[in-house]
Amino acid sequence: MEQIPFNSSAPNTLGIELELQLINPRSFDLAAAADELLAQMANHPIADRVKPEITRSMIELNSSVHEHPVGLLAEMREMRDALCLAADAVGVSVAGGGAHPFMRWQERAISDSPRFQYLAEMYGYLARQFTVFGQHIHLGVASGDAAVRLVRGLSPYVPHFIALAASSPYYEGVDTLFSCCRLNAVSSFPLAGHMPAEVTDWYRFEAHIAQLRTSGLAESIKDLYWDIRPKPEFGTVEIRVCDTPLTVERACQLAAFAQALAVLAARDPEPSSSAWLAYRSNHFQACRFGLQGSYVTPAGERMRLIDHLRSLFQRLMPIAEELGTADMLGALRDEAIRNGNDSRWLRSQFHRVRELPLVVESMTRAWRGERELGPSSEVPRRRIRANSEPMHEVQALATPDVGGAAGWHPDRLH
């Protein structure tokens, strides 16, 4: 059995990756402008931290390694500002959010790299449907065994990450009634899900990967679309379930949450085998209902996720005090309890403006740091049923994903 080397890193260091939307500032549809934006940034000091993604309407922004989320936030703000300047020069806008509200997957263009072209050939239309946008959080660990233990320890809290980060209520012009619809696209891949419960140490992880390779089911760890997975070349555990938040502030608060939770998981006993019983149901509830979903604890108790989250924050705040991140964690807690997640904010924007292109415009403003505080509470709540009928004529809104932002200039929609 081939051994997989694990590059040790300082425990509880952290970094994040943000997959971002490139937006045509006239139509507010996605723009296939990744190549132009990357060329614009080629000589910038952060050029090596801005990378292409699977389709040309996406880019990925990578942080460096940090010991403290406050330093991470300072870096992310600098990178955001540099990215916005380059995007302005190219003629596109940038937005967070887990899914574009009215894009058509049929019109996405696959990026020109061997890995992405292979994925398009292997997975067909799923590769273009994978034009969804997530935040990955990396936590440093000292060894492979420590990585596996941390994956297991964090797994009962996957619903908490999903619900706190959810920012994808709309897809192809429809209110999906999901708080996070992005993970439905991820779940389509054959090796999605969680690390098998029987993997309890690095040796068993290596054995599992060897079995997948021998069976022809995977070529490398990159083929594992697990919710949380070890990243041995980085020496980290990678949390992969978060939608990209609308702001870098929320993204860094989630990183602070992950860091404190890793400390708690290291101090707590490992979850019992019953923790895996409700894993898929808890995952669905968080995607569908967000913070108001049901949650079955590892002990078998059923409760609202927001109530379990309140008690979890009580346990985490003393750890955050130790780490010096109490302000960031407190802000995340207060915002979640008072105003909910970004999906709720996006719905409030739609209820206010009644046009999805204008919702996307608000997403681009939020990314620049111009977001209004709190939900639009003065707008009455309205129930929208999920069905196949879009709220707008999506074909009329969508722009062909060819040629980038330049060369396509319809009249403004507002």
Side-chain angles (χ1 to χ4, degrees), residues 73-94:
L73 177 57
E75 180 188 44
M76 294 308 298
R77 282 172 169 163
E78 290 179 4
M79 289 202 292
R80 173 199 63 193
D81 293 345
L83 186 64
C84 286
L85 285 174
D88 289 344
V90 171
V92 295
S93 298
V94 180

Side-chain angles (χ1 to χ4, degrees), residues 23 31 68 74 85 166 174 177 193 213 225 268 286 313 318 326 338 401 410:
I23 304 294
H68 199 286
L85 285 174
V174 174
L177 290 188
R213 286 173 173 162
Y225 289 86
D268 280 352
F313 272 117
R338 183 184 305 116
D401 195 9

Side-chain angles (χ1 to χ4, degrees), residues 21 97-101 132-133 162 165-171 174-184 242-244 246 287 341-344 346-347 363:
Q21 308 186 36
H100 186 277
V132 289
F133 308 84
I162 294 172
S167 61
S168 53
Y170 300 110
Y171 190 68
V174 174
D175 187 322
T176 65
L177 290 188
F178 275 68
S179 193
C180 166
C181 79
R182 177 186 68 93
L183 287 175
N184 294 328
C242 297
D243 283 356
T244 297
L246 298 177
C287 288
N341 54 29
D342 281 344
S343 278
R344 184 181 177 192
L346 287 168
R347 285 193 170 105
M363 292 165 64

Side-chain angles (χ1 to χ4, degrees), residues 29 34 83 88 95 98 104 115 124 152-153 170 178 180 244 256 258 308 378 387 403:
D29 189 21
L83 186 64
D88 289 344
R104 288 169 56 84
R115 170 72 178 169
R152 292 171 62 83
Y170 300 110
F178 275 68
C180 166
T244 297
H308 192 268
E378 72 278 3
N387 56 44

Side-chain angles (χ1 to χ4, degrees), residues 95-118:
H100 186 277
F102 62 86
M103 74 95 181
R104 288 169 56 84
W105 65 262
Q106 299 94 327
E107 295 165 354
R108 301 311 98 190
I110 300 294
S111 295
D112 187 18
S113 82
R115 170 72 178 169
F116 296 142
Q117 292 294 326
Y118 162 77

